[in-house]
Amino acid sequence: MTHHVSLTTNESENRFELHHGDELIGRIDYEMSGDAIDLTHTEVDPDHGGQGYAQRLVEYALTHARERDLSVKASCPYVAKYLDQHDEHADLRA
């Protein structure tokens, strides 16, 4: 059986989620403050590590922020490092 990977926004839990089939395998938690979103924690199930899923989650979260004209605060060290390495997202920083 082939499982697909999907990214969703779970507003009731304040997180972006990555699913492999029906299994939740990664997430980024966030907090909203006015027109800013603070990406506070990134986590990928260790069984699915090393496949670029954390990066996909960050890209999804940044696209979400851009589409809603939100500025981004990166309390999560992984997100902060990603932003430091990707100048194309510099305009999103709070």
Side-chain angles (χ1 to χ4, degrees), residues 29-65:
D29 299 325
Y30 66 85
E31 295 176 6
M32 294 298 304
S33 178
D35 64 350
I37 186 168
D38 184 2
L39 303 175
T40 59
H41 178 73
T42 303
E43 184 174 329
V44 173
D45 183 309
D47 290 340
H48 297 277
Q51 299 180 51
Y53 289 145
Q55 180 175 330
R56 288 179 66 179
L57 273 163
V58 173
E59 291 167 356
Y60 180 80
L62 296 176
T63 298
H64 174 91

Side-chain angles (χ1 to χ4, degrees), residues 11-82:
E11 292 181 4
S12 66
E13 297 288 332
N14 286 343
R15 66 186 187 194
F16 302 104
E17 299 178 342
L18 186 135
H19 296 265
H20 186 261
D22 293 332
E23 180 185 6
L24 175 65
I25 62 168
R27 71 174 201 251
I28 292 181
D29 299 325
Y30 66 85
E31 295 176 6
M32 294 298 304
S33 178
D35 64 350
I37 186 168
D38 184 2
L39 303 175
T40 59
H41 178 73
T42 303
E43 184 174 329
V44 173
D45 183 309
D47 290 340
H48 297 277
Q51 299 180 51
Y53 289 145
Q55 180 175 330
R56 288 179 66 179
L57 273 163
V58 173
E59 291 167 356
Y60 180 80
L62 296 176
T63 298
H64 174 91
R66 188 175 300 285
E67 290 173 349
R68 288 157 184 79
D69 293 321
L70 300 172
S71 58
V72 174
K73 181 178 178 189
S75 293
C76 170
Y78 182 86
V79 175
K81 181 178 178 182
Y82 182 91

